[in-house]
Amino acid sequence: MIAGRIGFWFSATLVAATLTATPLAPAQTVAQGSTRPWAGNTVIPQSRAYCTGAHEALGIEKVDAKIDIVEQVATTTLDVHLVNATGRRIEAELLVPVPEGAAVRGFAFDGASPEASAALLPADDARRLYERIVADVRDPALLEFVGLNLVRSSVFPVEAGGRRRVRLTYEQVLAADGDRIDYALPRSESLGQQIPWSIDMQIRARRPLCTAYSPSHPVRTQRNADGCYLVNLAPGASTEPGSFRLSYLLGGDLSASLLAYPDSDGKGGYFLLLAGVPARSGGGDDASMKREMTIVLDRSGSMRGGKIEQAKEAARQIIGALDEGETFNLLVYSDSVISFAPVPVAKSEEAVKKACEFLDGIPAVGGTNIHDALLESLRQPAAPGRLPLVLFLTDGLATVGQTTESAIRDVVVKANPHQRRVFTFGVGYDVNAPLLQKIAADTRATSTFVQPNEDVEIKVAEVYRRLQGPVLTDAVLTTSTASGISGPVVVDLIPDRLPDLFDGDQLVLLGRYLGDEPLRFRLSGQHFGKPRTFDFTFALDKATTKNSFVPRLWATRRVAQLADAIRQLGGDPGAVATLKQNPRTRELVDEIVRLSTEFGVLTEYTAFLAEEGTDLSKRDALHASAAQVLQERAAGVRSGISAVNQAENYNAQVMQSCSNYSNRFWDASMNRVEIAAVQQVNDRAFFQRGGTWVDSRIAQRVTGAEPKRVVTFGSPEYFSLLAKLTAQNRQGCASLKGDILLEVDGEAVLIQAPRTTESGAAQSGPALAPSDGC
């Protein structure tokens, strides 16, 4: 019977599996699984269903994954929902790529059928089966799973027009690196993977769990009172491609770990530093750090109606939710600024009552004096021993008092003696989006934009919830090697100024390292209001190309930083006119183009790189096109929907923490855009040109882009090349559909895709030559 640890069951008609217990089943079972002819209809939930001949394959409606982690042991249960839309009965089998060390715990399907069984194939046997299927169906997509073990089920039927739910359960002991535990669920990186997945995980551990982080997918996390940590895919992520990866940190006050990717020359690489703080249990000295909350509301005439009432209600909710002993103030502004109190007051029942009465009497009338409102909020006396926070709302451009962008921007730099954090909110589209972003960024805060159809109260409340319980503030990071050598051992750190960490928060830092000596990080700041230093040392011997997400995430943030530097120049009207002549601007544009091309990270400013006919080797032409877009859009647009869309893109990209395979962004009309002509696979990026997928490293070559070698799909040379790519963790590069022009050991190699004749039969033939626009 299926082990009770699975935790949930099918209907009473569930067919029980023959289990492969630990130790694994006898060799005969494994051998049968590896040598049995494949069924012709094979379901690989991480990819798709395959079928030989002219028959239609089974359909995969959805996959539900449930992962239960206790200490370091993970039990993964996959429920695969199949549909047979044909008029014939289909005999099929299930193939599931699994990590090394996984052991089968159960295989079953609902409905009456012969006894079910599943066998675990080692990586070599799995590779031979993959190659056999790939050769039969003439589809290389399976090849990205080469190198993994494989679970192969017995054959099961799906009746004509029917549905069947199949369940596989396997266990594994998760790899640990210090305080970090890593989990991976293999899945396809192909943009064509559109099977919806639900992923629900629960983690239990004796030690406190500081944080859980996925570099592959956006997730939602929740800590239960019993200590269980819940993780599931965020809304809208069910069809996001790529293996699901999750790392969690165990520890005490603050825990950290390093994920590294090595440069090919061995002289450095890229790193991701993950740090987290556990949720507080309350009480003790840890509960002593208090906040000072100043809420600044725009009451100009344009706020009249629903907006001002929503803003007032948000203010009421916030001051009512403050902890005892915390302080607050209210400022409202139009032509002038009115304060609830001359200094922040301690929360009390009487103070909250008077504050609500103050809000009730505020009408929406007049202009928008952003400069003075910002100045007054920053220069009010600060309560000692508290973290000073400002929530600043506006729905318009500065129309009264000092209105120039640069003068308002300078306020937070020159007139913020108490280092208040200014969290800005732009309501609607008639706001100076770059200004609000800059104010927030310069004060360790964030900017939020409220769309016309969104509720102000809800958006403000979402930010406020993230500001519960300050843990580490005024953080500063210094780096050196373990031998004590300081200097440029870490460069291009993003973010370069660390944010404050709040209760249950996580910090994801990305940067580049030089050399190969172990790195020492010293994180200093106010820990629960008291000075404290945390020291971490990480060896780089575990740097691996499997961490290909690290340089791509760094490049995404870096491109956002560079584009914003150009965007902020637009705050000076004189600078916009001479933007193209500015040597500094040229450097910024060139680096944006280079990173976008090398890593396949495209934005609204560089989407033209994916267009057919764009020659990625003609750098002057690429610079001119990018510079034009950046001048007109980034520097030239300050307000309106096409400014807010840039702000939303920047906020998403500059703190990007998980993969964005489809290069999704908002366009100037706030429409969601995805790019299908660029594929991010393993640690490479491919651009589609003339029916051929071209490695970005080759596409940028002025000379030497022609293939030095041509490899035919399915040939012995093809599988020899696949073995080399597998050893480099790049086997996914051979899984793209169509011809592939790939750089292998510095050489351009063309992989010819299988051809199809008019009758539909597969054949080999001359490959499409790379276009001149490579």
Side-chain angles (χ1 to χ4, degrees), residues 337-380:
V337 184
I338 303 174
S339 298
F340 165 66
V343 297
V345 299
K347 180 193 175 183
S348 66
E349 184 176 343
E350 181 65 18
V352 171
K353 178 182 177 182
K354 289 184 176 180
C356 290
E357 292 172 352
F358 172 80
L359 291 169
D360 291 340
I362 298 299
V365 61
T368 308
N369 192 339
I370 292 177
H371 179 276
D372 287 0
L374 186 60
L375 183 63
E376 289 300 320
S377 68
L378 297 178
R379 72 181 183 183
Q380 61 178 332

Side-chain angles (χ1 to χ4, degrees), residues 180 211 213 247 249 255-258 272-276 506-508:
R180 191 187 79 240
T211 194
Y213 161 68
S247 297
L249 294 180
S255 186
S257 188
L258 193 81
L272 183 153
L273 179 66
L274 174 65
Q506 69 179 207
L507 180 65
V508 179

Side-chain angles (χ1 to χ4, degrees), residues 80-371:
V80 185
H81 299 256
L82 304 174
V83 59
N84 181 359
T86 74
R88 63 185 181 88
R89 188 185 200 223
I90 293 180
E91 299 279 340
E93 64 181 347
L94 188 73
L95 294 181
V96 179
V98 296
E100 182 180 358
V104 177
R105 282 289 166 263
F107 172 69
F109 38 82
D110 55 355
S113 196
E115 184 178 3
S117 64
L120 181 69
L121 308 187
D124 286 343
D125 290 340
R127 175 184 53 78
R128 284 189 284 271
L129 183 57
Y130 286 139
E131 292 175 359
R132 194 184 319 157
I133 297 173
V134 167
D136 285 349
V137 300
R138 313 297 289 176
D139 185 346
L142 267 180
L143 297 177
E144 62 182 310
F145 300 118
V146 170
L148 294 170
N149 292 345
L150 184 68
V151 173
R152 188 182 191 187
S153 78
S154 57
V155 175
F156 57 88
V158 183
E159 301 299 332
R163 284 176 165 77
R164 170 145 277 178
R165 184 171 43 165
V166 181
R167 170 178 293 174
L168 173 72
T169 301
Y170 63 88
E171 278 186 355
Q172 65 189 116
V173 177
L174 300 181
D177 185 352
D179 290 333
R180 191 187 79 240
I181 312 295
D182 298 324
Y183 173 88
L185 176 59
R187 300 197 316 156
S188 173
E189 287 188 300
S190 170
L191 292 179
Q193 197 290 113
Q194 291 296 310
I195 300 168
W197 281 64
S198 68
I199 298 178
D200 296 289
M201 174 184 285
Q202 59 180 8
I203 306 169
R204 289 185 174 88
R206 288 189 296 269
R207 297 174 62 196
L209 198 154
C210 293
T211 194
Y213 161 68
S214 173
S216 61
H217 293 77
V219 295
R220 295 184 302 185
T221 60
Q222 177 185 332
R223 302 170 191 260
N224 283 353
D226 62 358
C228 181
Y229 200 101
L230 305 180
V231 181
N232 52 55
L233 285 182
S238 64
T239 58
E240 287 292 306
S243 295
F244 175 74
R245 299 183 58 155
L246 185 122
S247 297
Y248 60 94
L249 294 180
L250 303 173
D253 293 330
L254 189 145
S255 186
S257 188
L258 193 81
L259 293 155
Y261 172 95
D263 277 337
S264 57
D265 60 10
K267 297 180 180 179
Y270 301 84
F271 70 87
L272 183 153
L273 179 66
L274 174 65
V277 291
R280 292 179 300 165
S281 58
D285 292 339
D286 287 356
S288 63
M289 194 171 193
K290 304 299 182 183
R291 296 166 297 175
E292 173 205 278
M293 188 71 66
T294 299
I295 304 172
V296 185
L297 301 182
D298 182 347
R299 70 177 189 100
S300 61
S302 57
M303 285 286 289
R304 189 178 297 114
K307 288 190 288 187
I308 189 64
E309 293 307 319
Q310 291 171 9
K312 287 180 180 180
E313 184 57 30
R316 295 187 190 100
Q317 295 293 330
I318 289 171
I319 60 177
L322 290 173
D323 295 334
E324 291 300 322
E326 294 187 316
T327 57
F328 73 92
N329 202 355
L330 298 171
L331 277 69
V332 294
Y333 69 98
S334 56
D335 296 336
S336 58
V337 184
I338 303 174
S339 298
F340 165 66
V343 297
V345 299
K347 180 193 175 183
S348 66
E349 184 176 343
E350 181 65 18
V352 171
K353 178 182 177 182
K354 289 184 176 180
C356 290
E357 292 172 352
F358 172 80
L359 291 169
D360 291 340
I362 298 299
V365 61
T368 308
N369 192 339
I370 292 177
H371 179 276

Side-chain angles (χ1 to χ4, degrees), residues 667-678:
D667 70 7
S669 300
M670 286 301 295
N671 297 312
R672 210 65 160 144
V673 174
E674 296 183 351
I675 297 175
V678 176

